[in-house]
Every structure is written in C-alpha cells, then in structure tokens.
Amino acid sequence: MSECSDDIYADFAERYDRFSGPIGEPDPVRQDFFRQLFDRYQVQSVLDCACGTGRDLILFHTLGCQGWGTDLSPSMLAQARKNLAGLGLRIPLTLADYRELPAHFPQPFDAVTCLSSSILHMPDDEEVVRAFASIRTVLRENGILVLSQGTSDKQWRAKPRFIPAVNLPEFSRLFAIDYHGRGARYHILDLWHSPERSDFAVWSVDYPQMLLRDDYVRLLTASGFHQITVYGSYRFDPYDKETSDWLIAIAQR
C-alpha cells in the first residue's frame, strides 16, 4: 500500500487486515461495484498498484479477472503472499513504485487500481502527475484508472479529530488525526479488550497533501486522462461535496 522509500508498514502489515472481515470474503457492495464497472469497460486484466495485503486482488480474481499486484512495502507484499497462498491463489506480485511502472510492465492492462488513499503518499502535485503518467502508460487505449479514499470534501471540511474504524467485542480501532495545512497525520490506535488479551498498539502515517474531488479532476486531466467520473459511494452515487463520505474516481486513458 505504501509508496515510500522506507517500509513504513513494517510494524502494521500483519494487523492491517483488521480493517475488514475474513480474508476471501469480499464486501458484497464493493464486489458488485467492481463487477458492474469492469463489465462496463470490458476489463479482464487488472494491475492493483499499492496492493497492500492483496484483498482487492482476491476480489478481482472472484470476478474472473487476471490480476497483478505491486507495492513498495516488502512487509505488505509478504502479507499479501501469505493471504493469497492461504486461498491457493498464485497472483504475480512485484516490489515496485507506481511512479515507475513502465520499467516493470511492458504489457498494457485494461484497468489499473490505486485504492485506499494510496496516492496520498505523494509529496506534491508534481509527483502525483508523475504517478498518474506512469499509470497511464501501462493502460491500453480507453483503459481505466480507479482511485478511492475515505477522506471526502465533507470530512476534510469538518476535520474530525477522532474517527472510530473498527468496533468488535474483543478489538477496536480508532483514528486520531492531526491536521497541518493541506496535509494530515493519521494515528491508528488498536485496542484489544478480551479476557485473553488486554493491550494496545499505535501506528502512524503521514499524508503530505490531501487530494479532493477538484484536485483529482485537475491532476488527472494534466496527466492526459479524460472522461473523469467521481462517485461518492460504492453504490455509484454521484459525488456531492456536502454529503459524500467516499471519493471514488474513474478516469479513462
């Protein structure tokens, strides 16, 4: 998931999957979203940039797509290999920076995904455009780029200090957010509270600049993409700056 020179996910990769349910059980709403989207754009091959622990590669496999994954975090790739192997899947994984994809992939893909706020690791607009240009190069003509993040215009305007992320009988996860200018530092506090375990762990990640709807349209256009559509949920709801909780952008090469 990370696209940084240091493996900032080394202390978090094994816990990352606590965001979601059991491995191999995709969210039915997200599954239906990608099924409809890939049918619409005739997607059969998918490169998942910043693939993290491989959950979306598993999802794309269930949709009948041929998948590839890249990440700049060896720890996340190691967890992805473990997750894939546990399901008997052999999906190619490559240690690669999404700003340098043409050096790794000579073949064009029908779709490239960069999900879960992964593009927000870029330090400035110049590096974002560099990443988008790299992605565009490995897409076939009229292929699509899919971006997603949980920070919307609505949340950025409200700037909540705390956001509950997981609340289970034995485990909770809380975001504590420090805002600074155009960026933010997300602290993730994990709490175990059961008779078997009572403990906590903290991990933090920096997003140098937050990208919102207008930023994506501007930077994707500058990178040569067209037909840019932004949704506010995985139900294809149109994006609304006042009410949307998700930001999902689709752009064509």
Side-chain angles (χ1 to χ4, degrees):
M1 183 176 176
S2 171
E3 298 295 332
C4 308
S5 58
D6 297 322
D7 190 357
I8 63 171
Y9 286 84
D11 296 329
F12 189 58
E14 291 187 0
R15 305 200 314 273
Y16 183 85
D17 286 318
R18 296 301 298 260
F19 277 116
S20 306
I23 298 296
E25 295 184 11
D27 178 338
V29 174
R30 291 182 81 251
Q31 187 176 42
D32 189 57
F33 174 87
F34 281 104
R35 178 184 291 111
Q36 292 187 53
L37 186 71
F38 288 175
D39 284 348
R40 182 185 307 169
Y41 290 98
Q42 300 181 327
V43 172
Q44 295 182 331
S45 60
V46 186
L47 173 62
D48 188 15
C49 295
C51 67
T53 63
R55 279 185 173 269
D56 290 312
L57 289 170
I58 296 168
L59 167 60
F60 302 152
H61 175 79
T62 68
L63 299 178
C65 295
Q66 187 174 8
W68 287 260
T70 70
D71 207 291
L72 202 56
S73 164
S75 299
M76 293 294 259
L77 286 178
Q79 189 65 35
R81 292 188 182 96
K82 179 179 178 181
N83 289 343
L84 295 172
L87 296 173
L89 299 180
R90 297 177 62 87
I91 297 175
L93 300 175
T94 302
L95 185 69
D97 189 319
Y98 52 38
R99 291 168 291 188
E100 301 172 355
L101 294 176
H104 300 274
F105 300 100
Q107 78 273 30
F109 298 96
D110 298 328
V112 174
T113 59
C114 191
L115 307 172
S116 302
S117 306
S118 297
I119 203 69
L120 298 181
H121 289 291
M122 294 295 94
D124 52 40
D125 287 358
E126 182 179 354
E127 291 303 302
V128 174
V129 169
R130 180 183 168 197
F132 287 163
S134 166
I135 291 169
R136 186 176 183 276
T137 300
V138 299
L139 278 170
R140 66 161 167 80
E141 191 67 28
N142 293 320
I144 59 168
L145 165 61
V146 186
L147 303 157
S148 75
Q149 63 187 50
T151 305
S152 62
D153 285 78
K154 171 189 171 184
Q155 180 188 318
W156 188 249
R157 183 175 59 255
K159 290 183 172 55
R161 180 73 173 90
F162 301 103
I163 300 177
V166 179
N167 185 22
L168 299 173
E170 78 290 348
F171 175 81
S172 299
R173 173 168 286 171
L174 176 72
F175 290 137
I177 309 170
D178 295 326
Y179 299 92
H180 49 84
R182 291 189 60 194
R185 169 172 287 188
Y186 279 65
H187 307 278
I188 299 178
L189 173 61
D190 287 344
L191 296 164
W192 290 267
H193 38 77
S194 71
E196 293 75 26
R197 182 177 182 182
S198 179
D199 196 5
F200 73 93
V202 181
W203 179 83
S204 301
V205 61
D206 285 303
Y207 295 135
Q209 61 169 8
M210 189 57 60
L211 300 177
L212 301 172
R213 189 247 180 221
D214 293 346
D215 300 307
Y216 278 114
V217 172
R218 171 175 55 86
L219 295 170
L220 286 166
T221 301
S223 306
F225 284 93
H226 64 100
Q227 296 296 323
I228 301 164
T229 305
V230 183
Y231 296 107
S233 77
Y234 282 106
R235 300 182 187 277
F236 293 99
D237 297 318
Y239 188 80
D240 186 296
K241 290 183 179 181
E242 301 299 320
T243 62
S244 293
D245 293 315
W246 277 87
L247 193 162
I248 304 163
I250 318 295
Q252 276 190 278
R253 184 188 192 281

